[in-house]
Amino acid sequence: ETGVTQSPTHLIKTRGQQVTLRCSSQSGHNTVSWYQQALGQGPQFIFQYYREEENGRGNFPPRFSGLQFPNYSSELNVNALELDDSALYLCASSSGGGNYGYTFGSGTRLTVV
Amino acid sequence: DQQVKQNSPSLSVQEGRISILNCDYTNSMFDYFLWYKKYPAEGPTFLISISSIKDKNEDGRFTVFLNKSAKHLSLHIVPSQPGDSAVYFCAADQNSGGYQKVTFGTGTKLQVIP
């Protein structure tokens, strides 16, 4: 059974640009969530997708958007990048959450300059 | 509004002794509480969870205690091993309008000294 894989591992972008981050869910997991982890902070919930629909969103502006595909893989898109968007972006998949926890990928380190 | 708080940014423990990591929360609607361990350059790894209706859950060397009246939970690691050195995140899971929303604390860096 494969885990959650994210690509790329590192990325440098210029302020104002757009970025797409990718995530392949663990086999059998139909729910994917994206988190932003700033330096010294815990992961902050961005949004969650279930069966290709966004079914929950945290306190992030609309320039953060996503997609989930029929194979349950997912993308996170960020438009008009700002310096404060520099962070580790984590993808997590689950088959229902709750007390089963989530399986996280290793993350994409985004640096905006 | 930090709903899940880990007030100790770091903790050092001798190998073989007990490690106690603490977490406080403010939202009484959380359904589950979870602990994750994170090594550098890796994503968080799920460690152990506890339902809000329980007060203790044990898995090998790891035990989580929940005190609902105090809105406090703790993770005990006995005996501590050098491989346990990592950042530990406390997290709380809540059904929020049809989806499970997980709120994380800021983490506690545990160092187990050989």
Side-chain angles (χ1 to χ4, degrees), chain A residues 9-28:
Chain A
T9 54
H10 295 84
L11 200 53
I12 299 175
K13 287 286 191 178
T14 302
R15 188 172 51 182
Q17 283 188 313
Q18 178 268 343
V19 69
T20 297
L21 310 181
R22 294 178 174 83
C23 171
S24 293
S25 303
Q26 180 166 315
S27 177

Side-chain angles (χ1 to χ4, degrees), chain A residues 33 35 37 40-45 48 55-58 88 90 96-107, chain B residues 2 32 34 36 38 41-46 49-51 89 93 96-107:
Chain A
S33 302
Y35 291 83
Q37 186 180 9
Q41 301 296 314
Q44 298 290 313
F45 175 72
Q48 183 179 90
N55 69 340
R57 189 175 186 93
L88 179 69
L90 294 162
N99 66 334
Y100 300 110
Y102 291 78
T103 302
F104 281 84
S106 298
Chain B
Q2 191 70 23
Y32 294 95
L34 311 98
Y36 285 84
K38 187 178 186 301
E42 295 184 13
T45 302
F46 171 69
S49 67
I50 186 167
S51 166
F89 289 101
D93 189 303
S96 181
Y99 72 99
Q100 297 296 133
K101 179 181 178 182
V102 180
T103 303
F104 284 83
T106 53

Side-chain angles (χ1 to χ4, degrees), chain A:
Chain A
E1 144 184 304
T2 58
V4 175
T5 57
Q6 292 186 243
S7 62
T9 54
H10 295 84
L11 200 53
I12 299 175
K13 287 286 191 178
T14 302
R15 188 172 51 182
Q17 283 188 313
Q18 178 268 343
V19 69
T20 297
L21 310 181
R22 294 178 174 83
C23 171
S24 293
S25 303
Q26 180 166 315
S27 177
H29 286 184
N30 55 17
T31 302
V32 64
S33 302
W34 285 90
Y35 291 83
Q36 179 195 68
Q37 186 180 9
L39 203 61
Q41 301 296 314
Q44 298 290 313
F45 175 72
I46 302 176
F47 44 56
Q48 183 179 90
Y49 278 81
Y50 172 69
R51 293 187 176 179
E52 303 175 57
E53 297 280 337
E54 182 184 299
N55 69 340
R57 189 175 186 93
N59 190 26
F60 280 81
R63 59 189 185 84
F64 285 78
S65 63
L67 284 173
Q68 187 182 30
F69 300 99
N71 64 356
Y72 302 132
S73 65
S74 177
E75 286 182 356
L76 164 65
N77 299 291
V78 187
N79 293 323
L81 283 167
E82 301 176 359
L83 297 179
D84 285 349
D85 295 333
S86 296
L88 179 69
Y89 288 85
L90 294 162
C91 170
S93 72
S94 75
S95 56
N99 66 334
Y100 300 110
Y102 291 78
T103 302
F104 281 84
S106 298
T108 295
R109 173 71 62 187
L110 172 65
T111 302
V112 182
V113 298

Side-chain angles (χ1 to χ4, degrees), chain B residues 5-54:
Chain B
K5 300 177 186 178
Q6 294 177 258
N7 293 317
S8 298
S10 63
L11 175 68
S12 289
V13 172
Q14 287 291 134
E15 181 180 3
R17 305 295 291 267
I18 183 171
S19 294
I20 301 176
L21 295 99
N22 294 303
C23 178
D24 297 295
Y25 63 95
T26 57
N27 185 349
S28 58
M29 300 301 290
F30 289 131
D31 301 307
Y32 294 95
F33 300 91
L34 311 98
W35 286 93
Y36 285 84
K37 179 169 74 172
K38 187 178 186 301
Y39 293 119
E42 295 184 13
T45 302
F46 171 69
L47 200 55
I48 191 170
S49 67
I50 186 167
S51 166
S52 61
I53 62 173
K54 304 276 190 181

